[in-house]
Amino acid sequence: MSTSAHREIQMLVALKERLGLKSDTALAKLLCVDRKLLSEVMTGRRRLGVKGQINLLDRTIYRKSRDFMAVLLPKRVGEAVDRFANASVQVSVTDDAEFLAIYKEAMQFATDQKIANRLGISASAISMVKNRKSNLGALVRLQMFIDLCKGKDKDELMKMREYLSSRDALARGLGEWSASQQSAK
């Protein structure tokens, strides 16, 4: 088994444990991948694939980022982030609508068009998210986290965005994350 495959498995196991997921089926659902594929990945027979890796990194970024966002934001907004995070196990369409509202308030955007311009998406996409008919996607959500963070945390998130630029960069990021988790123990 390759080093990057081993790191991928470590990250999957860590995410499953951290979220308290009871089964690989729940993890597969969270990552929007087939249960059989995840089973093969967990046994080292296959790789997760770009979509699954992006979703894995997205969920990891989401969990890690929301924890320090609550500390960095104004108290009222931080409390809203805490309520939002504690009410959810995974990023969903509903979560994205709530996160968008938190982002709009924290960034003091007056209109949806200003949010759309900042995030590089259409105003109609913002409307779809607010009406819970669509979600934001990993890169847009990551940009929101970057906008809300400061200092070292912002630099770390910008590094995460770099990891999404290619499969090799993602594998490198997964390896660094895994190593940081091992050294934290």
Side-chain angles (χ1 to χ4, degrees):
M1 180 183 320
S2 72
T3 303
S4 57
H6 183 68
R7 287 182 192 145
E8 188 174 85
I9 293 168
Q10 287 179 320
M11 192 167 179
L12 287 164
V13 169
L15 182 64
K16 182 178 170 184
E17 289 173 359
R18 187 159 158 217
L19 296 178
L21 299 176
K22 305 281 187 222
S23 67
D24 284 351
T25 301
L27 182 60
K29 183 177 178 183
L30 176 74
L31 298 175
C32 302
V33 297
D34 182 70
R35 182 189 53 78
K36 183 178 179 190
L37 169 65
L38 184 63
S39 176
E40 291 174 351
V41 169
M42 296 296 268
T43 58
R45 291 181 295 198
R46 286 186 64 187
R47 296 296 307 274
L48 196 52
V50 174
K51 178 184 173 191
Q53 288 174 339
I54 288 173
N55 285 336
L56 176 60
L57 188 57
D58 177 46
R59 298 318 186 253
T60 304
I61 291 168
Y62 173 74
R63 295 291 164 212
K64 187 174 184 182
S65 300
R66 70 127 202 251
D67 293 340
F68 59 73
M69 271 184 11
V71 173
L72 297 175
L73 296 172
K75 184 177 181 181
R76 185 171 55 92
V77 178
E79 289 169 354
V81 169
D82 281 342
R83 283 192 309 277
F84 163 69
N86 293 333
S88 170
V89 171
Q90 65 181 2
V91 177
S92 70
V93 172
T94 301
D95 294 336
D96 278 351
E98 292 177 41
F99 183 49
L100 188 60
I102 292 168
Y103 178 76
K104 183 176 182 177
E105 180 179 345
M107 297 298 291
Q108 300 177 345
F109 286 116
T111 66
D112 289 351
Q113 186 61 55
K114 290 188 179 191
I115 297 171
N117 291 344
R118 173 65 189 127
L119 297 175
I121 58 177
S122 69
S124 63
I126 298 289
S127 178
M128 294 290 284
V129 170
K130 287 172 78 175
N131 291 317
R132 293 169 165 81
K133 294 182 179 177
S134 182
N135 63 19
L136 292 167
L139 293 176
V140 173
R141 199 176 301 116
L142 178 58
Q143 184 59 53
M144 292 168 70
F145 287 137
I146 291 169
D147 290 345
L148 292 170
C149 292
K150 300 174 184 150
K152 182 180 177 203
D153 297 324
K154 186 171 186 167
D155 293 341
E156 185 176 329
L157 286 174
M158 296 204 41
K159 190 176 181 183
M160 294 292 185
R161 185 174 60 189
E162 176 190 330
Y163 294 150
L164 294 175
S165 66
S166 73
R167 187 182 194 114
D168 289 339
L170 182 58
R172 187 174 57 255
L174 291 172
E176 290 173 8
W177 180 86
S178 179
S180 72
Q181 294 303 303
Q182 293 300 322
S183 65
K185 290 180 181 180

